[in-house]
Amino acid sequence: MNGLILSVLLQRLGIALISLFIVSLAVFAATEMLPGDVAEILLGQAATPDAVAGLREAMGLNEPAIYRYFRWLGGLLTGDMGTSYVNDTSVASMIGDRLSNTLKLAGVAALLSVPLAMFLGVTSAMFRLSPYDRIISFLTIAVISVPEFMLATGGVLIFAVYLQWVPALSLASEVSSFGELLRTFALPVGILTVTVSVQMSRMTRAALIDILSSPYVEMATLKGASMPRVVLKHALPNAIGPIANAVALSLSYLVGGVIIIETVFNYPGVAKLMVDAVATRDLPLIQSCAMIFCFSYLFLITLADIAGILANPRLRT
Amino acid sequence: MKDDLAQIRDLQVTATTDAGRQIAIIKGVSFDIAKGEMVALIGESGSGKTTIALTLMGYTRTGCEITGGSVLLKGKEMASLTRAEAAKMRGAVAAYVPQSAASAFNPSQKIMDQVVEVSRIHGLMSDTQAQEKAVELFRALALPNPEIIGDRFPHQVSGGQLQRLSAAMALIADPALMIFDEPTTALDVTTQVEVLRAFKSVMQNSDIGGVYVSHDLAVVAQIADRIVVLKGGEVQEEGTAEQILTAPQHPYTKQLVAAFKPAEYATPIDEAITDTILDVQNTFAGYGLIGKDGMPAFVALKDISLTLKRGQNIGVIGESGCGKSTLARTIAGLLPRASGDIQFDGKPLQADLKDRSREHLRRLQIVFQFADTALNPNKPIGTILGRPLSFYHNMGGRQKEKRVEELLDMVHLPTSLKYRLPGELSGGQKQRINLARALAAEPDLILCDEITSALDTVVAAAILDLLKELQNELGLSYLFISHDLSTVQAICDDVVVMYNGEKVEQTKAADMMHATTHPYSKLLLSSVPKLDLGWLDSLEQDPELMRKFSDR
């Protein structure tokens, strides 16, 4: 560790913080632009002009947007995510359970998909253009090309309806034994793992193939190194940067992009919470969910960049 | 012969293109390598010299395949080994020294780990023994700080040092055969001398056989016992180094040798003309943010002054990074100068290209080193040449068509080429098109930035002849930038030597070998390999100077 790498890392973290600030602006502006007046929707049938005006006043909606933005941002920084418009409970408590549910799902999917993707990516790069590589390529591209909801509904149709191996819905609250847990999670985790790992394995393969065609890999081969040695000792260490980025991109999708999976399986996670919040115009909830998704994305990408920086000997020494 | 280390008999290698077409790239090559003998494979790019050398390790690059003949190394048939069997021979029996050590070292591993890896792979000795041996080799190859240089990463040592380190990496397992694949091509001449010396000293007095792949006859003359001349995947001629250099038989070999002897250049315009076409005075230029003193953060040109008379040529020489290309870019206005004055035909030339009049733009043209990147790959040659005609001369229709044909004729290309795309032309043809495009503007001065450096010797010599011919016909002037002194000598009246952004010296090209006085110019000139077997051995250079100016 030296001065140069420290300054590069600090620079990278600074950029992440600035991005997060810009993201918060975008999230706030986007929810501001949602059509319809919150007070009117909340009051529904009882929306007389007087009642609407009163509610607007009470909710602070008449204050200028910039003022509300900074109050919201201040709240976020002190850990106060505000109060739900719809049922008057704190947003933090609403998200709490749901977030742990989503993280459970995402965590298990990540634990399965990263090793799977690495294995597929590395082996298909090693045996490039062999029948094995062609089959893997065909399957991964096929999965990438099929939309997720098709995979998910197809999975439900086959495994839950016809074969009846697993339940169609994943209600974590009804799980009592470990066996049931596995059965409940199998389908959503399986589909998430498949969709996420194909992206990762494609990108790992590409990054590795790029490096396998470099002169120092040829040199290692001409020194008599075996294929596994060439790949593991010479190619992989130099592919850490791009591979870490591929992994981060795919994993960040797990947290933010599980909406379809959670909706199809009626799984009580954050993404489903956000979808419901949009339907009820629950702005504080939407904003908080959006910030959580963006934050996890930024966090993972920053982590990957840091891994890439640390893996670069030009910066390390 | 019983004493043979390797025998190649009727070797055939076939390449499969992306489209699935089979092309024979080596068409029945045979030669032998005896113990302790250095055989050079020489030929232009695409002649198959590296492909042949690699078959000695049982290796072909992706898409290539040995389809016939035999490659015997120490009695083993390399052409038919499995991957695992070949891996046992690689590094241990036959070792490889790559063209560009800078990219052949793994950037994320320390040098020592990579040097001793061969012994680890083949289980030859303990790591401590291997490291001791490596340090010995580093010392034998005259590397600085042999005890600690192995602890560095590849990016922390210079290109010349890396090249010698790669030789150490090859020698660590005491191979029977060393394959040198253009090991000095990427180096500056002053560095090349040191590296060649180091190679020669470790190879001499040992019974290691060697294959030296190169396109440079003069380099090969210093190190090889026998020379095999290749063209298009076939052996043209084979003989001892002396035989090839002094009495070449085959027409292609004669051409190669002839291309090396610099043609004496006599200025075509008589001395009476004193009309100055380009006058550069105290010019500074560089890259990066402009500081308070008006100078950029990195100054690449320092106080450069030179003048060029109409119809004459000036050469700018120096090693990579000395600022010679920056000089061309500054004169052309691509990089606006920070200070100084440039006059063109007696009138001041604006610093920035954007502020120059169309007339000035027309009269001063630049030709770049890589025709591949300078020509739009999606436009036919006719369109490429037509553009300056409409831009500078408002030509159109039949007139433009006719002029394009004239231009192609001027650079000795068939007019039918105007319908072709740049990708369908050879390297030399592309460079001629590149030149024709500059001529289309009808300039007074052409800045030639390393225009022959990417070409094979014979092709480059033909381009130089063309330049001279055009000069006689059109009264052009050239500012000729090159790192190759014989090229500059072949075409220039005056030569400017640059070092580290500064003009070190200016002399007449004709007597540049004797008249230079600056120590750097002397070092640079003496480092250029000569087509003479004993040149390297008889070369005496001041080690103090070498340290000061090379291996930066």
Side-chain angles (χ1 to χ4, degrees), chain A residues 218 223 229 234 238 313, chain B residues 61 106-107 109 114 117 122:
Chain A
E218 178 173 73
K223 286 199 280 189
R229 189 187 178 99
H234 290 275
N238 288 293
Chain B
R61 293 203 164 132
N106 186 333
Q109 281 183 18
Q114 305 191 50
E117 192 184 8
H122 300 284

Side-chain angles (χ1 to χ4, degrees), chain A residues 208 210-223 225 227 230-231 234-236 238, chain B residues 59 103-106:
Chain A
L208 210 55
D210 192 36
I211 291 190
L212 282 176
S213 63
S214 66
Y216 59 82
V217 167
E218 178 173 73
M219 187 67 228
T221 310
L222 291 177
K223 286 199 280 189
M227 188 60 148
V230 167
V231 171
H234 290 275
L236 263 189
N238 288 293
Chain B
Y59 181 81
S103 52
F105 272 95
N106 186 333

Side-chain angles (χ1 to χ4, degrees), chain A residues 95-107 185 267-270:
Chain A
I95 288 180
D97 285 356
R98 298 297 198 97
L99 187 61
S100 78
N101 278 345
T102 293
L103 287 180
K104 236 184 274 170
L105 190 65
F185 269 158
Y267 182 86
V270 194

Side-chain angles (χ1 to χ4, degrees), chain B residues 293-460:
Chain B
D293 53 351
M295 281 296 147
F298 173 74
V299 185
L301 286 187
K302 295 166 198 156
D303 199 16
I304 300 286
S305 303
L306 56 87
T307 56
L308 175 57
K309 289 191 180 125
R310 184 185 294 279
Q312 293 208 337
N313 305 327
I314 195 162
V316 179
I317 57 172
E319 305 193 311
S320 53
C322 75
K324 51 193 193 300
S325 282
T326 304
L327 176 63
R329 289 167 54 84
T330 306
I331 295 171
L334 291 167
L335 177 77
R337 58 185 180 265
S339 74
D341 185 37
I342 301 181
Q343 302 245 335
F344 184 75
D345 203 9
K347 296 203 182 60
L349 203 55
Q350 297 291 330
D352 196 334
L353 191 70
K354 283 179 242 142
D355 306 327
R356 290 186 186 172
S357 67
R358 184 170 294 201
E359 190 61 8
H360 266 160
L361 292 178
R362 179 187 71 74
R363 295 175 62 188
L364 196 163
Q365 293 286 313
I366 184 164
V367 180
F368 293 104
Q369 176 174 6
F370 296 107
D372 276 320
T373 50
L375 302 177
N376 185 339
N378 296 321
K379 295 268 193 261
I381 301 303
T383 315
I384 290 172
L385 293 182
R387 226 190 103 57
L389 293 177
S390 19
F391 181 77
Y392 291 118
H393 304 294
N394 292 320
M395 280 188 196
R398 276 299 306 149
Q399 194 193 8
K400 184 157 104 180
E401 201 82 341
K402 193 160 156 275
R403 182 69 186 147
V404 166
E405 282 170 16
E406 279 171 18
L407 284 167
L408 284 170
D409 205 41
M410 261 195 226
V411 294
H412 305 307
L413 289 175
T415 52
S416 59
L417 279 189
K418 66 181 172 181
Y419 302 110
R420 304 260 206 105
L421 293 174
E424 298 164 20
L425 271 53
S426 72
Q429 286 177 325
K430 273 182 273 196
Q431 200 56 280
R432 280 166 195 261
I433 298 293
N434 207 4
L435 193 61
R437 179 168 60 178
L439 293 174
E442 291 169 34
D444 295 322
L445 171 63
I446 300 183
L447 310 174
C448 304
D449 187 3
E450 300 262 17
I451 62 169
T452 58
S453 305
L455 303 174
D456 289 314
T457 335
V458 174
V459 183

